[in-house]
Each structure stands twice: as structure tokens, then as C-alpha cells.
Amino acid sequence: MTATARTLGSLPLRPAAPGRRRASSTPADLALLLIGACFLLPLLWLILASLDAEAGHELKLPDRAGLDNFAAVLTPELLLRPLWNSVLLSGGTATVTVVAAVLAAYPLSRYRSRFNRPFMYTVLFGTCLPITAIMVPVYGLFVQLELLDSMAATIFFMATTTLPMAIWMTRNFMEGVPVSLEEAAWVDGASRMTALRTIVLPLMKQGLGVVFIFVFIQAWGNFFVPFVLLLSEARQPAAVSIFSFFGQHGAVAYGQLAAFSILYSLPVLVLYVIVARGGSGSFALSGAVRG
Amino acid sequence: MRSPATARQLLRYLPVLPAVLLLLVFLAGPVLWAFHASLTDAGLTGRSARNPSWVGLENYQRLLADPVFPLSVLLTVVFVAGSAVLGQNLLGLTLAVLMRRARPLVSAVVGTTVVAAWVLPEIVAAFAAYAYFSGDGTLNQLLGGLGLVRQDWLYAFPMVAVMLANMWRGTAFSMLVYRAALNEVPAEVTEAAQMDGARGWQRFAFITLPMIRGSITTNLMLITLQTLAVFTLVWVMTAGGPANASTTLPVLAYQEAFKFGDIGYGTAVASVLILIGAAFGLGYVRLLREPRP
């Protein structure tokens, strides 16, 4: 169980290296650098092409490097509106997920019941369903319920797909907050929900941040769900608009595509760094769970 | 039968309700709807969209008769086995092992690069991979520079290209899992084996690997499920082509439903995929329920 909790809790994080290590070896360095170079090359194209007004598929240094591509895509309808849609979609998804996950995790972590284990395992099973497989049925369902092209419905659906993972992570963080603190509040007559709001949540702020960012990153990068469920251009997030952009201008404007990609990727890269750097305390917390 | 105590118990669990409702409406609902719709002739447009009629197992019979379906299952198995079970898993383990031996700076830089490919939005990763494997892309530049034959990878070897791309994209996950697992192997154990004269690879095969086998199984299950669901990468790089040569099951389900407008047939494909996912999911849950030795 501990291993699950740890795997689930640690996904977005870089585990800290321990102090003890053997003498470093040069062959290991070289092997690692070789593999690293293979991983770097596709990314390198993205960066070089974004700076090159005449970029194609090939990897080359720009004849004259400049920010023309960035200037070309930085228009309201091309980049800013889709990015704003991404913010709404990801922010909404992360908010709904965190609220539902906190509410669900509280009784599951605080009360003993025969119901807890089967529920958590059912939720765990939910994390396993291939979401791409249910997109065709979800589309059908949305047609029947007339929810197609609705931002709110898409947010609730995306929140549901990340909810199982979020419930596990939130419960693990909540287990790290000692019950004794709440018991003092109960004695003073506070209700369970008041205790949750005023005592438990402030103490697991960092953990909540990790869950929020984790869900936000997933929603931000999600292409398939909005691609299927949001039809009108005015509502499409950057993930989808970049795809239509590629379809329409791709053959000529690879530099702009790369610039667009970089601007669209920056927020999640920053968020990831925040979690990986600042979240080590809560990471330890999530690792110290009992099943 | 319902005592005040049970009522209080129920009331206490009231906060779970929003999550349960969401999961029922948006997760359990579509899955059940899928099995139902796969037994109808539901279409994307026209009369059969508004008023689908019951066709029983016809879609599944078509599935078995359709030469593309077995091909698609085979391609999915190749994709998952090649790029996840072998590719991501072994490369991730190799990276984790090398990172413990390399200089901290080197391992930090390479680790960041590997993780970057994983953190990027999937559509961006797919574009980068597309450019890398395209006719005049980086891979062919490298091969040309080495004096080797250039290939049109996306047409001549689409499966090789999407599998390598999926390894590039997803190895970070296995690497992170194995780094965490290796950090937990107590140094005393391997040191003791060293004193007893075990060589490096012996210590690794007979001490380290058995000690992290829990993480290995968990990782294999999770990357299998993740890779089973990969759509965007394949869709952007090859769109399942040329001539269905890289049509994995998610791509097939999408094509049947949206390109050919046959929701009923598309959901039949999706149902098969859901069942495969569910089987792995059950296996995964059972695995974790078993008490560790």
C-alpha cells in the first residue's frame, strides 16, 4: 500500500537524491550524456525553430535569429484567447477536482468504516480506465444530454477523469495531519466541517497546492478531451487551436508553430519546477503514509 | 433496521457525495453507455444519430470480420510491449542506475532533459517528435551525417517512429519510479553482498532487482495503462497511416466514430479497449491489495 501511495503521491516530483553515493564514474557519465543527447535533440528543434523565421523540419542554427515568430503568433485570436480558454479550463478543472477530492478525502481519512477500503480500491480502479477509450462514448453521452461545446460540462468531465488520482493524493496528505488537533476543536464545539476548514486545510496547504498544480498541468496539456468535446473556435483551449493552426499553416510556418508551442508550454514548465523545488516537504509527507 | 448510529454514519459520509456523483455521471455513465451504444447503429449525423436502433451483436460480428481490427489489436500489443514494457521500462531503469553512478551535475542535467519531454503538453511533444522523424528532420540529418541511409520514417516505418517517440515522451515516469525505488534499497544490504564477493552485476540481479520488484510490477502496470491510452502522439505523427499501418485501438475507435461517422461501431472498438484496460486495472488493484512479503 505504501508503495502505491508513494507512487501516486510522487508523480509530479523529482525524488531528492540521498546524501550517500559511491565514487562517480566517467563511463556512467558518458553513457548518461549520450542518452540525454537523444532526449535533447527533439526539444532542441523546438527552440531553434522558434527563433528562425525560415524554419523547416530540419535542425539548424537560424541564419538570423530573432523573435519574429513570437511576435507573429502573439495576437489575440491566435494565441491569447486560446491561452485564456486554457486557463479557464485548467483552473476550473483543478478547482472542481480539489474541492471534490478534499470533501471525499476527509471522511475517508478520519472515520473507520468497512466502506473505506472497497471505496478506495474502486477509486484506484478508476485511475486505470483508459480515458481515450471512453471519449467516443462520452461524445455520444454529451450529444444525448446536449452538453456538447459546453465549457462547464467539459470542466466537470475533465475534473472527473483526474478525481480518482486526486482523492488518493489528498487522502495521503490528510493522513499527515494529526487528528489530535481536530479533537481539541471538537471539544470546543466546532463542527466537523469547521474543523476541516480552519484546522486541517491550512495545515495541508502545501499538499493541496501539489494536487491543484498536478491536476492543472494535466488539464493544460490535455488535447484529446477538448478536441472531442469543444467544437467552436471561441471556446477551444491552446492545445486544440495549436492543432488547427498546424493543419492550416503548418506546411509554411514551422517557426511560428514552435514559438506557439513554447509560449503554450511555459506555464506548465514553471508550475512543474515550483512543485519539484518547493514541494519536497509535502513529498516527504505523502511518502510517509500508511495504507 | 436503520438505527440512529447508522444514520449518523451515513451523514458523516455525506461529503463523499459530490465525488461519487461526478464519478457515476462522467466515468461509470460513459462506460455503461458504451456497452449499450455498441449494440446499436448510433451514427454521428442523420436519422441514426437521433434515433439509433438496436442491432444486437452486429457491431462485434463486423469487428471480427473486419481485417483492420485484428491488425489494430496486434499493433496495440506491439506498441505497448515495445515502447512501454521493454522500451520505457528498461531505459528508465538504466537511467536510474546510471544516475546513481554518474556525477551529480551530469545526472541532474540529463534528468531534467528526460523529465522535460514528459512534462511538455502532449500536443507539443507530438509536434517535436513529428519534426524529428520527418523526411528532412533531425534523425535523417544525423543518419546522413554518419553516412547511413536516410529513411522516410513516418511512411516507411511508422510504428518504429511512434514507438521511439513514446519512449522519448514517457521514459521519465519509469526513471522517477526507479530512482525512488533504488534510493530505498538499504546500502548495507548491497555492501554486505560486496563483502561476500558478489560482483556488480550479481549484486544488481540477485539483490537489488528482487528488492525493488514491487516497484517494477507497479511501474509495468501503470505504463501499460498509460501507453494503451496514447492517442495524440500517434494521431499527430501518422494519423494511423499510412494505410492503417499504425492504427492502434484508440486511433481506430476515433476514426470509426468521427471520420466515418459510425458511433455504434466506434464504441464497439472502444468497449474492447475499455475491457482490456479494466482487466489490467483489476490486476493492478489485486496486486496492490496483496500484503507485501
Side-chain angles (χ1 to χ4, degrees), chain A residues 11 25 29 39 59 116 132, chain B residues 13 101-103 141 168 173 229:
Chain A
L11 291 187
S25 78
D29 281 349
F39 275 82
L59 187 68
N116 287 5
T132 35
Chain B
Y13 275 90
R101 295 167 168 265
R103 291 181 175 76
Q141 284 178 279
W168 168 71
F173 183 86

Side-chain angles (χ1 to χ4, degrees), chain A residues 42-238:
Chain A
L43 298 173
L44 207 58
W45 172 82
L46 214 55
I47 296 166
L48 291 180
S50 76
L51 298 171
D52 186 351
E54 283 118 38
H57 288 139
E58 72 273 15
L59 187 68
K60 67 174 171 72
L61 286 174
D63 294 333
R64 47 176 189 87
L67 296 176
D68 300 353
N69 292 323
F70 290 92
V73 294
L74 263 175
T75 65
E77 63 272 26
L78 209 55
L79 188 81
L80 300 180
R81 195 187 54 203
L83 278 185
W84 174 242
N85 286 339
S86 288
V87 171
L88 288 181
L89 203 61
S90 318
T93 302
T95 309
V96 172
T97 307
V98 168
V99 170
V102 163
L103 287 174
Y106 186 67
L108 289 167
S109 106
R110 288 310 189 243
Y111 308 134
R112 294 184 165 279
S113 158
R114 274 176 308 162
F115 160 81
N116 287 5
R117 279 173 70 88
F119 182 82
M120 288 309 282
Y121 283 120
T122 312
V123 167
L124 187 66
F125 176 67
T127 63
C128 297
L129 282 178
I131 297 302
T132 35
I134 65 168
M135 282 324 290
V136 178
V138 165
Y139 178 87
L141 194 72
F142 271 45
V143 170
Q144 305 262 308
L145 301 176
E146 298 189 3
L147 291 173
L148 263 195
D149 209 21
S150 151
M151 198 79 159
T154 309
I155 286 175
F156 279 110
F157 173 68
M158 287 176 82
T160 309
T161 62
T162 43
L163 193 56
M165 192 69 96
I167 292 178
W168 268 92
M169 290 171 76
T170 312
R171 198 198 66 143
N172 291 345
F173 285 126
M174 214 174 258
E175 304 264 286
V177 179
V179 190
S180 52
L181 294 170
E182 286 156 84
E183 283 166 349
W186 297 337
V187 171
D188 292 340
S191 76
R192 306 265 165 169
M193 283 297 119
T194 317
L196 170 64
R197 207 184 60 236
T198 57
I199 295 170
V200 182
L201 291 187
L203 283 173
M204 52 181 291
K205 221 166 23 191
Q206 218 182 9
L208 288 181
V210 170
V211 178
F212 188 94
I213 292 179
F214 176 73
V215 176
F216 191 96
I217 291 181
Q218 283 209 332
W220 186 271
N222 199 321
F223 163 76
F224 198 32
V225 174
F227 179 58
V228 171
L229 297 181
L230 292 175
L231 306 177
S232 61
E233 224 170 87
R235 294 198 183 83
Q236 280 169 352

Side-chain angles (χ1 to χ4, degrees), chain A residues 235-255:
Chain A
R235 294 198 183 83
Q236 280 169 352
V240 180
S241 71
I242 198 178
F243 183 72
S244 13
F245 176 81
F246 177 67
Q248 285 155 19
H249 315 270
V252 281
Y254 280 100

Side-chain angles (χ1 to χ4, degrees), chain B residues 2 32 49 51 71 77 85-86 109 115 126 137 147 164 187 215 217 228 236 238 262 286:
Chain B
R2 195 162 281 182
L32 294 178
N51 219 343
L71 173 70
V77 171
V85 175
L86 288 175
V109 169
V115 166
L164 286 174
S215 301
T217 342
L228 209 53
V236 170
T238 68
D262 197 341
R286 279 193 62 144

Side-chain angles (χ1 to χ4, degrees), chain B residues 10-267:
Chain B
L10 279 177
L11 207 62
R12 282 176 157 187
Y13 275 90
L14 201 60
V16 183
L17 199 62
V20 170
L21 280 180
L22 280 175
L23 291 171
L24 283 180
V25 174
F26 289 111
L27 211 56
V31 169
L32 294 178
W33 193 89
F35 293 129
H36 167 79
S38 69
L39 302 173
T40 69
D41 67 347
L44 194 57
T45 50
R47 194 189 54 80
S48 56
R50 279 189 305 277
N51 219 343
S53 52
W54 188 261
V55 296
L57 290 174
E58 201 179 280
N59 284 322
Y60 291 97
Q61 281 161 355
R62 258 179 73 194
L63 214 56
L64 292 177
D66 188 345
V68 180
F69 179 70
L71 173 70
S72 178
V73 172
L74 179 72
L75 290 175
T76 311
V77 171
V78 170
F79 185 60
V80 171
S83 72
V85 175
L86 288 175
Q88 290 181 9
N89 188 44
L90 293 182
L91 188 57
L93 184 60
T94 310
L95 278 166
V97 170
L98 285 174
M99 284 168 105
R100 291 172 70 80
R101 295 167 168 265
R103 291 181 175 76
L105 179 68
V106 174
S107 104
V109 169
V110 173
T112 307
T113 315
V114 175
V115 166
W118 179 62
V119 178
L120 278 184
E122 54 181 342
I123 189 92
V124 174
F127 285 144
Y130 173 82
Y132 183 81
F133 285 104
S134 67
D136 43 4
T138 313
L139 181 59
N140 274 336
Q141 284 178 279
L142 277 179
L143 293 177
L146 294 171
L148 297 168
V149 188
R150 297 163 69 111
Q151 294 285 354
D152 201 343
W153 293 96
L154 295 170
Y155 288 93
F157 305 100
M159 279 309 283
V160 175
V162 292
M163 279 162 66
L164 286 174
N166 191 47
M167 278 173 66
W168 168 71
R169 163 88 176 143
T171 294
F173 183 86
S174 303
M175 182 189 82
L176 292 177
V177 169
Y178 288 135
R179 284 199 76 184
L182 290 178
N183 281 342
E184 274 172 38
V185 175
E188 294 80 25
V189 180
T190 40
E191 275 160 18
Q194 196 168 14
M195 304 260 239
D196 291 342
R199 290 163 180 276
W201 67 268
Q202 284 175 326
R203 288 201 302 276
F204 185 72
F206 298 118
I207 312 277
T208 312
L209 279 187
M211 287 194 80
I212 63 166
R213 73 172 184 279
S215 301
I216 297 176
T217 342
T218 308
N219 182 51
L220 281 177
M221 279 287 180
L222 289 175
I223 58 176
T224 298
L225 285 161
Q226 281 161 13
T227 305
L228 209 53
V230 166
F231 169 84
T232 308
L233 202 62
V234 182
W235 186 247
V236 170
M237 288 177 70
T238 68
N244 292 322
S246 58
T247 310
T248 53
L249 282 172
V251 177
L252 182 66
Y254 178 85
Q255 275 183 340
E256 293 297 344
F258 296 114
K259 224 167 125 193
F260 307 128
D262 197 341
I263 298 273
Y265 192 51
T267 37

Side-chain angles (χ1 to χ4, degrees), chain B residues 264-276:
Chain B
Y265 192 51
T267 37
V269 178
S271 300
V272 172
L273 190 55
I274 291 173
L275 285 178
I276 298 175

